[in-house]
Amino acid sequence: MSASTLSSPPRSDEAAVIVPLRRPWRWTSAALVLAAVGVVLWSAATNEQFQWHVVVRYFATDAVLRGLWLTLWLTALTVVLGFVIGGVLAVMRLSGNPVLVGVSWGYVWLFRSVPLLVQLLFWFNFGALYPALSGATPVIGPMTSVIIGLVLHEAAYAAEIVRGGILSVDAGQTEAAAALGLRRWRVLRRIVLPQAMRSIVPAAGNLLIGTLKGTSIVSVLAVQDLLYSVQLIYNRNYLIIPLLLVATVWYVIVTSLLSVGQHYVERYYGRGAR
């Protein structure tokens, strides 16, 4: 064979053979994971201690549905009021007024530092701080304590989410709007917030789902949410595991629906972006 034959390039009509990269460990790890998931599901389906027939019996009872409704109501109220207050705090934090900045920073610092359970217990025992007032006015009840504690706690985290979303918008947008003579409130409402929502929605959706699960803490104040409702039932019949599974399945269903809604909201605000 001559040297010219060895150095000649391949003809254009010769198709190049593409050999895919072999990844044996990827398929091995996937098979191991699927096997582990199968073992867990089989164990849950065949273990009589789960008592799935009891789960089905109590899944849609009136007591459980009332607790579920209260959980959803508390979640919606907490998120709406929390983001309203948090939005105001975020604007205060970004303002040029040092007093407003200090108040907003102090609020976020305080309510993010204190655990939620401590806040709920504090508001529930608020009448002990002012015994003279508690004699003339009704003491804060469990439901009022829960609403105050959840909303104020939510507002601290919502403020940082909104502030981060606003800061994600390029400063040139506001400078261009100011050059056109637009007022700051209109710039914030029509230019900054629509673009900031792309960064706000994922974190807000995560906070919403966390709030839904976090409302279970109100059971310590005997507020009959979903968890407390199933606790009342299994304190009578001692079927602890299946009743806890009832609450678990409901939480999984609701959080899954919220995740689907979050996906579509993110896609709406992400139009035009890769």
Side-chain angles (χ1 to χ4, degrees):
M1 183 179 295
S2 62
S4 60
T5 305
L6 293 176
S7 60
S8 61
R11 293 179 301 175
S12 58
D13 58 346
E14 294 180 356
V17 178
I18 301 176
V19 179
L21 180 63
R22 294 180 175 85
R23 297 184 175 90
W25 290 110
R26 172 186 293 182
W27 295 106
T28 303
S29 60
L32 292 175
V33 170
L34 289 176
V37 172
V39 170
V40 172
L41 293 178
W42 177 258
S43 175
T46 57
N47 190 341
E48 296 180 356
Q49 300 302 321
F50 283 96
Q51 304 181 62
W52 291 107
H53 62 284
V54 178
V55 175
V56 174
R57 187 200 316 166
Y58 286 97
F59 186 73
T61 56
D62 292 339
V64 172
L65 292 180
R66 284 195 300 268
L68 175 64
W69 168 250
L70 182 59
T71 295
L72 296 176
W73 181 80
L74 278 177
T75 302
L77 183 66
T78 300
V79 171
V80 171
L81 295 182
F83 269 90
V84 169
I85 300 174
V88 174
L89 291 171
V91 174
M92 292 170 57
R93 184 77 177 273
L94 296 173
S95 68
N97 190 320
V99 176
L100 297 181
V101 173
V103 170
S104 176
W105 180 89
Y107 179 96
V108 173
W109 166 77
L110 177 62
F111 283 93
R112 288 201 307 179
S113 301
V114 182
L116 179 57
L117 179 58
V118 176
Q119 296 182 41
L120 296 180
L121 294 175
F122 173 83
W123 291 112
F124 184 69
N125 295 279
F126 187 76
L129 293 176
Y130 302 97
L133 293 178
S134 62
T137 59
V139 182
I140 298 178
M143 181 59 70
T144 306
S145 304
V146 163
I147 294 174
I148 294 175
L150 289 176
V151 170
L152 296 181
H153 181 79
E154 185 91 355
Y157 289 89
E160 290 300 280
I161 292 175
V162 175
R163 184 174 71 91
I166 293 175
L167 291 177
S168 67
V169 179
D170 185 60
Q173 300 282 336
T174 56
E175 294 175 358
L180 294 175
L182 298 179
R183 295 185 177 182
R184 295 187 62 182
W185 171 246
R186 188 176 183 184
V187 172
L188 179 65
R189 182 171 56 91
R190 300 296 299 273
I191 298 176
V192 176
L193 283 181
Q195 298 181 69
M197 291 298 292
R198 188 180 301 169
S199 300
I200 292 175
V201 169
N206 188 50
L207 184 61
L208 170 61
I209 293 176
T211 302
L212 172 71
K213 297 182 296 182
T215 54
S216 60
I217 201 173
V218 305
S219 60
V220 300
L221 298 183
V223 175
Q224 294 190 18
D225 69 320
L226 177 59
L227 178 60
Y228 192 75
S229 297
V230 300
Q231 286 177 330
L232 290 177
I233 299 174
Y234 72 61
N235 284 335
R236 296 194 302 265
N237 57 21
Y238 301 103
L239 299 173
I240 300 177
I241 297 299
L243 267 302
L244 289 178
L245 285 175
V246 170
T248 300
V249 173
W250 272 120
Y251 279 122
V252 170
I253 292 174
V254 177
T255 53
S256 299
L257 293 176
L258 291 177
S259 299
V260 172
Q262 176 186 344
H263 166 73
Y264 285 102
V265 174
E266 286 184 18
R267 192 169 70 173
Y268 173 79
Y269 284 104
R271 293 171 300 174
R274 176 175 296 182

PDB file of all heavy atoms in Angstrom, residues 26 78 81 100 150 155 201 204 209 243 253:
ATOM      1  N   ARG A  26     -24.243   4.044  34.530  1.00  0.00           N
ATOM      2  CA  ARG A  26     -25.505   4.772  34.580  1.00  0.00           C
ATOM      3  C   ARG A  26     -26.672   3.799  34.627  1.00  0.00           C
ATOM      4  O   ARG A  26     -27.591   3.946  35.439  1.00  0.00           O
ATOM      5  CB  ARG A  26     -25.626   5.698  33.384  1.00  0.00           C
ATOM      6  CG  ARG A  26     -27.007   6.349  33.266  1.00  0.00           C
ATOM      7  CD  ARG A  26     -27.145   7.157  31.997  1.00  0.00           C
ATOM      8  NE  ARG A  26     -26.265   8.329  32.001  1.00  0.00           N
ATOM      9  CZ  ARG A  26     -26.227   9.221  31.023  1.00  0.00           C
ATOM     10  NH1 ARG A  26     -27.015   9.064  29.953  1.00  0.00           N
ATOM     11  NH2 ARG A  26     -25.416  10.259  31.079  1.00  0.00           N
ATOM     12  N   THR A  78     -52.357  32.989  55.054  1.00  0.00           N
ATOM     13  CA  THR A  78     -50.983  33.290  55.457  1.00  0.00           C
ATOM     14  C   THR A  78     -50.155  33.774  54.286  1.00  0.00           C
ATOM     15  O   THR A  78     -49.411  34.758  54.389  1.00  0.00           O
ATOM     16  CB  THR A  78     -50.334  32.046  56.082  1.00  0.00           C
ATOM     17  OG1 THR A  78     -51.074  31.643  57.236  1.00  0.00           O
ATOM     18  CG2 THR A  78     -48.899  32.334  56.487  1.00  0.00           C
ATOM     19  N   LEU A  81     -51.578  37.441  52.939  1.00  0.00           N
ATOM     20  CA  LEU A  81     -51.215  38.536  53.848  1.00  0.00           C
ATOM     21  C   LEU A  81     -49.704  38.629  54.030  1.00  0.00           C
ATOM     22  O   LEU A  81     -49.153  39.733  54.147  1.00  0.00           O
ATOM     23  CB  LEU A  81     -51.897  38.334  55.207  1.00  0.00           C
ATOM     24  CG  LEU A  81     -53.435  38.410  55.204  1.00  0.00           C
ATOM     25  CD1 LEU A  81     -53.970  38.233  56.623  1.00  0.00           C
ATOM     26  CD2 LEU A  81     -53.904  39.735  54.628  1.00  0.00           C
ATOM     27  N   LEU A 100     -36.660  53.726  57.194  1.00  0.00           N
ATOM     28  CA  LEU A 100     -37.434  52.635  56.612  1.00  0.00           C
ATOM     29  C   LEU A 100     -36.572  51.408  56.372  1.00  0.00           C
ATOM     30  O   LEU A 100     -37.005  50.273  56.601  1.00  0.00           O
ATOM     31  CB  LEU A 100     -38.078  53.090  55.300  1.00  0.00           C
ATOM     32  CG  LEU A 100     -39.092  54.230  55.403  1.00  0.00           C
ATOM     33  CD1 LEU A 100     -39.655  54.558  54.023  1.00  0.00           C
ATOM     34  CD2 LEU A 100     -40.211  53.885  56.375  1.00  0.00           C
ATOM     35  N   LEU A 150     -48.363  33.050  62.073  1.00  0.00           N
ATOM     36  CA  LEU A 150     -48.038  32.573  60.736  1.00  0.00           C
ATOM     37  C   LEU A 150     -47.814  33.721  59.756  1.00  0.00           C
ATOM     38  O   LEU A 150     -46.873  33.702  58.957  1.00  0.00           O
ATOM     39  CB  LEU A 150     -49.159  31.666  60.221  1.00  0.00           C
ATOM     40  CG  LEU A 150     -49.295  30.288  60.872  1.00  0.00           C
ATOM     41  CD1 LEU A 150     -50.509  29.557  60.317  1.00  0.00           C
ATOM     42  CD2 LEU A 150     -48.046  29.450  60.672  1.00  0.00           C
ATOM     43  N   ALA A 155     -44.243  36.917  56.430  1.00  0.00           N
ATOM     44  CA  ALA A 155     -43.880  38.204  55.842  1.00  0.00           C
ATOM     45  C   ALA A 155     -42.373  38.410  55.827  1.00  0.00           C
ATOM     46  O   ALA A 155     -41.833  39.031  54.892  1.00  0.00           O
ATOM     47  CB  ALA A 155     -44.564  39.334  56.612  1.00  0.00           C
ATOM     48  N   VAL A 201     -41.381  33.827  41.490  1.00  0.00           N
ATOM     49  CA  VAL A 201     -42.332  32.712  41.482  1.00  0.00           C
ATOM     50  C   VAL A 201     -41.731  31.399  41.990  1.00  0.00           C
ATOM     51  O   VAL A 201     -42.354  30.719  42.821  1.00  0.00           O
ATOM     52  CB  VAL A 201     -42.929  32.541  40.073  1.00  0.00           C
ATOM     53  CG1 VAL A 201     -43.703  31.233  39.963  1.00  0.00           C
ATOM     54  CG2 VAL A 201     -43.844  33.704  39.755  1.00  0.00           C
ATOM     55  N   ALA A 204     -41.340  31.742  45.709  1.00  0.00           N
ATOM     56  CA  ALA A 204     -42.660  31.893  46.324  1.00  0.00           C
ATOM     57  C   ALA A 204     -43.415  30.577  46.334  1.00  0.00           C
ATOM     58  O   ALA A 204     -44.107  30.246  47.307  1.00  0.00           O
ATOM     59  CB  ALA A 204     -43.464  32.966  45.586  1.00  0.00           C
ATOM     60  N   ILE A 209     -45.540  25.922  49.486  1.00  0.00           N
ATOM     61  CA  ILE A 209     -45.593  24.512  49.865  1.00  0.00           C
ATOM     62  C   ILE A 209     -45.064  24.326  51.284  1.00  0.00           C
ATOM     63  O   ILE A 209     -45.611  23.546  52.078  1.00  0.00           O
ATOM     64  CB  ILE A 209     -44.790  23.675  48.860  1.00  0.00           C
ATOM     65  CG1 ILE A 209     -45.487  23.711  47.495  1.00  0.00           C
ATOM     66  CG2 ILE A 209     -44.631  22.244  49.338  1.00  0.00           C
ATOM     67  CD1 ILE A 209     -44.734  23.000  46.396  1.00  0.00           C
ATOM     68  N   LEU A 243     -53.890   6.415  60.409  1.00  0.00           N
ATOM     69  CA  LEU A 243     -54.398   7.792  60.448  1.00  0.00           C
ATOM     70  C   LEU A 243     -53.321   8.795  60.053  1.00  0.00           C
ATOM     71  O   LEU A 243     -53.612   9.800  59.397  1.00  0.00           O
ATOM     72  CB  LEU A 243     -54.938   8.104  61.836  1.00  0.00           C
ATOM     73  CG  LEU A 243     -56.434   7.873  62.070  1.00  0.00           C
ATOM     74  CD1 LEU A 243     -57.283   8.675  61.107  1.00  0.00           C
ATOM     75  CD2 LEU A 243     -56.782   6.401  61.960  1.00  0.00           C
ATOM     76  N   ILE A 253     -51.042  14.953  48.008  1.00  0.00           N
ATOM     77  CA  ILE A 253     -51.952  15.345  46.924  1.00  0.00           C
ATOM     78  C   ILE A 253     -51.964  16.860  46.751  1.00  0.00           C
ATOM     79  O   ILE A 253     -51.835  17.385  45.632  1.00  0.00           O
ATOM     80  CB  ILE A 253     -53.370  14.810  47.200  1.00  0.00           C
ATOM     81  CG1 ILE A 253     -53.396  13.282  47.094  1.00  0.00           C
ATOM     82  CG2 ILE A 253     -54.374  15.437  46.233  1.00  0.00           C
ATOM     83  CD1 ILE A 253     -54.725  12.670  47.481  1.00  0.00           C
TER      84      ILE A 253
END
